[in-house]
Amino acid sequence: MTGRGDVVTLAHGSGGRLTRDLVESVFRSAFSNPALDAMGDSAALPRVDGRIAMTTDGFVVSPAFFPGGDIGRLAVNGTVNDLAVAGAVPLYLTAACVLEEGLPLADLRRVAASMADAARAAGVAIVTGDTKVVEHGHGDGIFIVTAGLGRLREDAPPGERALRPGHAVLVSGPVGDHGAVIAATRSGLDPAGDPDGGVRSDCAPVHHLVDALYAAGVRPVFMRDPTRGGLATVLAESARAAGVTIEVREDDLPIRDGVRGVCDVLGLDPLYLACEGRFVAVVEAADAARAVLALRAVPGGSLAASIGSVIPKGPGPVLLRTGFGGRRVYDTLASDPLPRIC
Amino acid sequence: MTGRGDVVTLAHGSGGRLTRDLVESVFRSAFSNPALDAMGDSAALPRVDGRIAMTTDGFVVSPAFFPGGDIGRLAVNGTVNDLAVAGAVPLYLTAACVLEEGLPLADLRRVAASMADAARAAGVAIVTGDTKVVEHGHGDGIFIVTAGLGRLREDAPPGERALRPGHAVLVSGPVGDHGAVIAATRSGLDPAGDPDGGVRSDCAPVHHLVDALYAAGVRPVFMRDPTRGGLATVLAESARAAGVTIEVREDDLPIRDGVRGVCDVLGLDPLYLACEGRFVAVVEAADAARAVLALRAVPGGSLAASIGSVIPKGPGPVLLRTGFGGRRVYDTLASDPLPRIC
């Protein structure tokens, strides 16, 4: 029982019986774990043995369902990945939804099932949550905010300011898939169905790939998942923070044919397109080959590649060296080709 | 510099330069602390010495500014209070905003200043955040989701299921202020300006009141802040969870004249109106008098009162015993007199 009819109503956000019914029937049944099942306003959790990391991300992606994932899967993996690339082992997530009156309950159940599935796959528990409802026309279906807590590894990466010339730059897989899928879907293309290179969102957790690096004895200098703003923005921001330049070898950069196709049709640059299941790792040059091998041995990492290196500060934060010997300067994304990408 | 003009644009949500400028100029400057200033996607935090509590809450209150507070103050205090009533010492908050295109930057700065002020007052640090922007007409000014982490006291309350006949029920102050203010404001009344009992939101942190209980040697059985659904809903839910009834003495229940006035005019029941700076505590009968004295000695607790007691399961979860010897049954709020109260 979640109230009259099959859509979200304002009464579902009242904090009363209908709110509790909705939470019980949609979220608790999907996410069930001991901390959540206690159904307090706070989750009581065990001691964390070490330093901790906290993160939060809001998700407003439009459309909410897309080839390769949906807003629920994105919301869980996005926060799992923010923890993982900080060098933390993801443990607990919170989830707050802002629902628009009229949202079909079937959509909400589908999103909750995706969240539960993604949490299981990433080995995290969604321990507490909150649900609010706004009037029709004052929201857009569903917005989700997740926050996450992880245990920081003792040898967590020192971070972007530690970048030095000579360091190698890796990506864990092809870039731009998520952005290309959202752009294509909005434009009425069918990205997944293209026989010449169908493309789906790369939405996935990366914590096991990070684990593989550490297990191989690699201690990354810096890691980041290139979501909004894409690979070029992440590289440019970190290069600027360290006062260096990052040189990227275009020929070594993994980009799927389907993503290139979408970019050609829509006039987008894959280096500015969001990824939702990849990360950039900067490592010591001597570790680069071992790191790539370690990533390639793990599911989801088969196309990992060493794509460039940190060099002394040059004419721009990121230099793309093309196959024909040319150079193109990239900087932080300044405009917004794709609002509501995640 | 936060972009062209003086309103939020979609480009502020792109994840590129304008996002960073907005975050730097509005949020980081307001919230500054070492973990936040590192500006990673995750905050790196020290070890927490003990068990932990996590909570999250979404805030969609309309209007965003009201007598006694605003959505920013509410978002910080709401999460601080969820931790405090769970028996946790609030430590760290995360904050994610979903902004509507066109929101005046002045409003955003005002909200950020309120959040910073509330965090300072509660002794917590806002350690990481996220900002998303949706198109005009797909949001409503500003929505905020906060998540919080606290250190659980070793003698945290066992919780609502531990309620037993004989326990005393306290409130830390007058109930219904926040709900009355929002209802009055939406109805075009001027609740704060009423010379016969102006009323303002009670929006405030309660952690220091909880501290005062513990300092007085009181170990509460159960605490909860009566937000959405109000006092009656919190009491009804906890009574149902424990299989008991809670009897409330109307004459002992602190309700401000201004709140009664708003309720009379608008046909509302103060027992179902949200509080945002109060909590209910259930304590052993022998501790009740000491607990009330301890609360009254602390700023914000001067009108704390013992309002009732737990009795064996009766005809309803909550029985209000009126001054004239009558009885009224209350249950969980079933409908929604006031959407978007918080």
Side-chain angles (χ1 to χ4, degrees):
Chain A
M1 284 295 298
T2 51
R4 289 176 211 85
D6 52 359
V7 299
V8 169
T9 66
L10 285 173
H12 282 123
S14 67
R17 187 173 58 75
L18 288 177
T19 305
R20 181 155 279 228
D21 288 351
L22 184 76
V23 168
E24 285 278 350
S25 67
V26 175
F27 294 112
R28 194 171 75 85
S29 56
F31 301 163
S32 180
N33 61 68
L36 182 73
D37 295 348
M39 291 292 285
D41 274 352
S42 291
L45 301 168
R47 175 191 298 260
V48 176
D49 187 25
R51 299 181 63 212
I52 59 176
M54 274 185 94
T55 188
T56 190
D57 252 324
F59 296 86
V60 299
V61 64
S62 173
F65 300 92
F66 46 80
D70 60 45
I71 192 171
R73 192 170 301 274
L74 212 55
V76 169
N77 286 331
T79 289
V80 164
N81 291 349
D82 276 351
L83 291 171
V85 298
V89 178
L91 297 174
Y92 306 115
L93 260 55
T94 67
C97 298
V98 177
L99 309 178
E100 185 189 14
E101 183 186 18
L103 176 74
L105 283 174
D107 284 4
L108 189 60
R109 287 201 186 88
R110 200 173 147 199
V111 168
S114 281
M115 295 177 76
D117 190 50
R120 239 185 329 265
V124 297
I126 301 172
V127 294
T128 188
D130 186 52
T131 306
K132 293 291 192 298
V133 181
V134 296
E135 308 90 334
H136 180 67
H138 286 108
D140 193 9
I142 177 168
F143 302 148
I144 304 176
V145 173
T146 45
L149 176 78
R151 182 180 56 74
L152 260 186
R153 298 171 194 270
E154 289 186 20
D155 46 5
E160 58 189 8
R161 289 186 184 82
L163 264 57
R164 294 291 175 268
H167 286 157
V169 179
L170 321 179
V171 292
S172 65
V175 300
D177 298 28
H178 179 74
V181 165
I182 297 297
T185 304
R186 285 203 207 138
S187 305
L189 304 177
D190 176 11
D194 179 352
D196 289 336
V199 61
R200 299 160 62 83
S201 170
D202 55 311
C203 179
V206 302
H207 65 295
H208 61 295
L209 292 158
V210 172
D211 289 346
L213 282 185
Y214 277 90
V218 176
R219 299 286 170 270
V221 175
F222 167 68
M223 295 186 286
R224 179 71 59 89
D225 52 334
T227 57
R228 283 185 296 178
L231 177 68
T233 297
V234 161
L235 296 182
E237 286 192 347
S238 53
R240 282 185 176 282
V244 296
T245 286
I246 292 176
E247 187 179 62
V248 175
R249 298 177 299 271
E250 188 176 41
D251 287 351
D252 292 339
L253 190 59
I255 300 175
R256 292 189 198 280
D257 288 345
V259 172
R260 287 190 198 280
V262 168
C263 286
D264 286 349
V265 170
L266 299 178
L268 298 169
D269 187 327
L271 270 72
Y272 283 127
L273 290 185
C275 310
E276 291 291 344
R278 311 288 178 222
F279 68 102
V280 173
V282 176
V283 301
E284 299 288 343
D287 290 338
R290 190 157 36 107
V292 170
L293 285 176
L295 291 173
R296 288 189 180 169
V298 181
S302 64
L303 298 176
S306 175
I307 60 164
S309 53
V310 179
I311 61 175
K313 189 171 181 178
V318 178
L319 272 185
L320 183 75
R321 196 168 285 277
T322 67
F324 306 105
R327 301 193 316 177
R328 200 179 311 145
V329 172
Y330 279 85
D331 204 338
T332 313
L333 178 67
S335 66
D336 187 14
L338 284 173
R340 298 182 61 185
I341 194 76
C342 62
Chain B
M1 284 294 299
T2 52
R4 289 175 212 87
D6 52 358
V7 299
V8 170
T9 66
L10 285 174
H12 282 123
S14 67
R17 187 173 57 76
L18 288 176
T19 305
R20 181 155 278 229
D21 288 351
L22 184 76
V23 168
E24 285 279 349
S25 68
V26 176
F27 294 112
R28 193 170 76 85
S29 56
F31 301 165
S32 180
N33 60 68
L36 181 74
D37 294 348
M39 290 292 285
D41 274 353
S42 292
L45 301 168
R47 177 189 297 261
V48 176
D49 188 25
R51 298 180 64 213
I52 59 177
M54 273 185 94
T55 188
T56 190
D57 251 325
F59 296 86
V60 298
V61 64
S62 174
F65 300 91
F66 46 81
D70 59 46
I71 191 170
R73 191 170 302 276
L74 212 55
V76 169
N77 286 331
T79 289
V80 163
N81 291 348
D82 277 350
L83 291 171
V85 298
V89 178
L91 297 173
Y92 306 114
L93 261 54
T94 67
C97 297
V98 177
L99 309 177
E100 185 190 14
E101 182 185 19
L103 175 75
L105 282 173
D107 285 3
L108 189 61
R109 288 202 184 86
R110 198 172 148 199
V111 168
S114 281
M115 295 178 76
D117 190 50
R120 240 185 328 265
V124 296
I126 300 173
V127 293
T128 189
D130 186 52
T131 306
K132 292 291 191 298
V133 181
V134 295
E135 308 88 334
H136 180 67
H138 287 107
D140 195 8
I142 178 167
F143 303 148
I144 304 176
V145 173
T146 45
L149 175 78
R151 183 180 56 74
L152 260 186
R153 298 171 193 271
E154 289 184 21
D155 46 5
E160 58 189 8
R161 289 186 185 82
L163 264 58
R164 295 288 176 269
H167 286 157
V169 179
L170 323 179
V171 292
S172 65
V175 300
D177 298 27
H178 178 74
V181 165
I182 298 294
T185 304
R186 284 202 208 139
S187 305
L189 304 178
D190 176 12
D194 178 352
D196 288 336
V199 60
R200 300 161 60 82
S201 171
D202 55 312
C203 180
V206 302
H207 66 294
H208 61 294
L209 292 157
V210 172
D211 289 347
L213 282 185
Y214 277 90
V218 176
R219 299 286 170 269
V221 176
F222 167 68
M223 296 186 286
R224 180 72 58 89
D225 51 335
T227 57
R228 281 184 296 177
L231 178 68
T233 296
V234 161
L235 296 181
E237 286 192 347
S238 53
R240 282 185 177 281
V244 297
T245 286
I246 293 176
E247 187 179 64
V248 175
R249 298 178 299 270
E250 187 176 42
D251 286 351
D252 292 340
L253 189 60
I255 300 176
R256 293 189 196 281
D257 288 344
V259 172
R260 289 191 197 279
V262 168
C263 286
D264 286 348
V265 171
L266 299 178
L268 298 169
D269 186 327
L271 271 71
Y272 283 127
L273 290 185
C275 310
E276 292 290 345
R278 311 287 179 224
F279 67 103
V280 173
V282 177
V283 302
E284 299 288 343
D287 290 336
R290 191 156 37 106
V292 170
L293 285 177
L295 292 173
R296 288 187 179 168
V298 180
S302 63
L303 297 175
S306 175
I307 60 164
S309 52
V310 180
I311 61 175
K313 190 171 178 176
V318 177
L319 273 184
L320 184 74
R321 196 168 286 278
T322 67
F324 306 104
R327 300 192 317 177
R328 199 179 312 146
V329 172
Y330 279 85
D331 204 338
T332 312
L333 177 65
S335 64
D336 187 13
L338 282 175
R340 300 182 59 184
I341 194 76
C342 63

